[in-house]
Amino acid sequence: MQRHRDSLAVYIHWPFCARICPYCDFNVYKSKGAAGDDLVTAMALDLKYWRSVTGPRALTSIHFGGGTPSLMRPAQIQTLIDMCKELWSAAPDIEIGLEANPDDAEAALWSGYKAAGLNRLSVGIQSFDDEVLKFLGRNHDGAAARRALELACSIFDNVSADLIFGHAGQTQMAWQSDLDTALSFPMTHLSAYQLTIEDGTAFGRAARRGTALDVDENMSAALYDVTRDRLSDAGFSHYEVSNYERGDTRSAHNMAYWTGIDYVGIGPGAHGRITTDKTRLATVAQMTPSGYIRAVSEAGHGGEERHPLRADEVAEEYVMMGLRIREGLDLKHSSLAGKVLNIEDLEEAGWVAREHDRLKATDKGRLVLNEITRQLLLT
Ligand code: SF4
């Protein structure tokens, strides 16, 4: 996989969902499936604008996230993939991925995505247990989750399943059963996210009223260990806090975030990071679909905000992200040049381990990444 300074990733945010899940804090809008052609047209123009800012780059990944991008039609996906490839040169092993909802599992639709150029499908399974899915406010049930994973694996060589653990009352056995069901399919990648209760969500409001929705710290650590042990027995390698690969199947899209590769964010509320003339810009697009479309038609791009990050912010972001992956961060990374890093104390605490020019978080350290980042850069 190409990882040089001229690399670029593109993130495309499709902001619509058929139903809003109570734990979700993404920028999403309820819609059963608005055609959205005007949004696709705006996105294509926005891509052109960003090409004028980034100049020529090697595209390592295009990622359709959301929201629910599996509400998009294959022709819409094709328009945006073609535009990206026309504007930048695609790396030979480019990853073109999409986050799909099990509700949208239709052979014609997903085969259409593959024909449009998609080579990775990540399916938002969350659980195979009907009760858990109901609790999470999902539209699909366990049978639909199984059907979706089977269909995805029959169409794509590279399939990831997203699962969520850590809801109140979950036992290790119940979680292991979800993992075992997932492992009965020939998928290549698995993301196991812990349920987090965010302010501003329905779960956040319920938690403030005193409802227990997630497990305590001890159970959370036990479930994390079950995940790692079970997946490693099944031949998956744990390469990031929440992510496991079978073979060389890391998510190139997420690796761009974790290794500091630039990315363009297209679509309502999408974030980007672009390095120009030694400055790293943080960009955010207009939040609402109508505001985004209007901004593109008036200004030629959908950006609401952009500002250069300070050197300490760039370093902090790089450290925080780099410590998430197994091989850790590169101590020679440009963002750390000239910085005195407080490594010894962290090694003594057993939180990090140094190997040549890399600094990795230990299992113990992965639980306190914020604190490591703060102390490492404390000079
Ligand atoms: S389907 Fe995904 S993006 Fe949409 S509301 Fe649910 S969790 Fe959020």
Side-chain angles (χ1 to χ4, degrees):
M1 194 182 293
Q2 213 155 353
R3 299 213 192 289
H4 54 75
R5 286 160 67 163
D6 295 331
S7 296
L8 184 75
V10 171
Y11 173 70
I12 297 172
H13 187 81
W14 193 254
F16 304 114
C17 291
R19 174 175 173 179
I20 305 301
C21 305
Y23 57 90
C24 181
D25 73 336
F26 297 145
N27 183 36
V28 289
Y29 302 87
K30 192 166 167 183
S31 164
K32 282 260 177 256
D37 282 342
D38 46 354
L39 182 56
V40 172
T41 304
M43 286 171 159
L45 288 171
D46 204 12
L47 282 167
K48 274 191 186 168
Y49 167 79
W50 283 108
R51 169 61 174 78
S52 72
V53 177
T54 65
R57 303 275 190 115
L59 214 51
T60 53
S61 63
I62 304 169
H63 187 83
F64 293 87
T68 306
S70 52
L71 291 175
M72 296 175 80
R73 286 180 281 107
Q76 296 175 317
I77 301 276
Q78 173 104 52
T79 299
L80 295 172
I81 293 176
D82 288 352
M83 179 57 82
C84 288
K85 287 186 168 173
E86 194 182 309
L87 296 171
W88 294 281
S89 56
D93 57 351
I94 184 170
E95 172 189 291
I96 306 180
L98 180 141
E99 296 165 12
N101 193 322
D103 284 334
D104 304 321
E106 278 173 38
L109 182 71
W110 288 3
S111 298
Y113 288 165
K114 188 176 181 184
L118 221 74
N119 56 21
R120 182 179 197 269
L121 201 73
S122 146
V123 192
I125 298 293
Q126 318 316 350
S127 174
F128 295 97
D129 181 316
D130 291 350
E131 286 307 309
V132 176
L133 288 165
K134 208 181 287 171
F135 166 80
L136 291 174
R138 306 295 306 207
N139 268 346
H140 65 276
D141 59 11
R146 284 183 192 81
R147 274 197 306 275
L149 205 46
E150 190 174 355
L151 180 66
C153 291
S154 73
I155 296 174
F156 293 92
D157 295 333
N158 199 358
V159 171
S160 180
D162 283 5
L163 294 179
I164 291 184
F165 68 92
H167 61 85
Q170 186 173 32
T171 61
Q172 292 187 43
M173 225 195 284
W175 174 231
Q176 176 135 349
S177 154
D178 259 352
L179 289 172
D180 286 345
T181 306
L183 289 169
S184 67
F185 295 91
M187 52 183 198
T188 49
H189 186 278
L190 190 137
S191 303
Y193 297 112
Q194 177 161 4
L195 176 66
T196 49
I197 309 298
E198 308 285 356
D199 283 346
T201 63
F203 272 8
R205 288 186 288 279
R208 265 209 310 280
R209 291 193 300 269
T211 313
L213 294 161
D214 53 355
V215 293
D216 65 21
E217 240 174 66
N218 288 338
M219 187 52 147
S220 149
L223 294 172
Y224 187 84
D225 289 347
V226 165
T227 315
R228 210 189 32 208
D229 295 348
R230 187 66 198 91
L231 288 171
S232 115
D233 288 349
F236 279 77
S237 132
H238 188 197
Y239 73 94
E240 193 270 346
V241 178
S242 310
N243 285 280
Y244 298 79
E245 63 175 336
R246 180 148 58 186
D248 185 15
T249 57
R250 292 180 177 204
S251 154
H253 164 65
N254 283 330
M255 284 302 287
Y257 297 156
W258 297 323
T259 60
I261 287 179
D262 279 359
Y263 55 96
V264 162
I266 297 294
H271 288 241
R273 291 285 184 278
I274 303 296
T275 308
T276 54
D277 301 332
K278 295 192 181 147
T279 300
R280 196 158 208 236
L281 292 175
T283 70
V284 188
Q286 288 279 345
M287 292 300 277
T288 63
S290 57
Y292 177 81
I293 292 169
R294 199 168 42 247
V296 173
S297 79
E298 285 170 5
H301 62 82
E304 175 173 67
E305 194 194 313
R306 83 176 60 177
H307 65 273
L309 292 169
R310 294 189 316 268
D312 60 311
E313 290 174 322
V314 177
E316 190 181 320
E317 201 165 87
Y318 176 68
V319 167
M320 191 69 202
M321 291 288 163
L323 286 172
R324 296 183 65 91
I325 50 176
R326 187 177 54 215
E327 55 272 32
L329 56 89
D330 177 3
L331 292 167
K332 290 212 168 121
H333 191 263
S334 56
S335 66
L336 303 178
K339 293 210 160 20
V340 182
L341 300 174
N342 179 26
I343 296 175
E344 285 74 22
D345 290 349
L346 296 171
E347 276 181 321
E348 253 172 56
W351 286 351
V352 297
R354 184 176 180 160
E355 248 176 56
H356 309 292
D357 289 331
R358 315 263 347 162
L359 191 72
K360 308 169 179 190
T362 60
D363 283 349
K364 194 170 152 198
R366 271 208 205 105
L367 304 172
V368 288
L369 290 183
N370 285 333
E371 187 56 22
I372 295 180
T373 305
R374 195 185 68 76
Q375 290 196 28
L376 189 68
L377 297 168
L378 198 71
T379 49

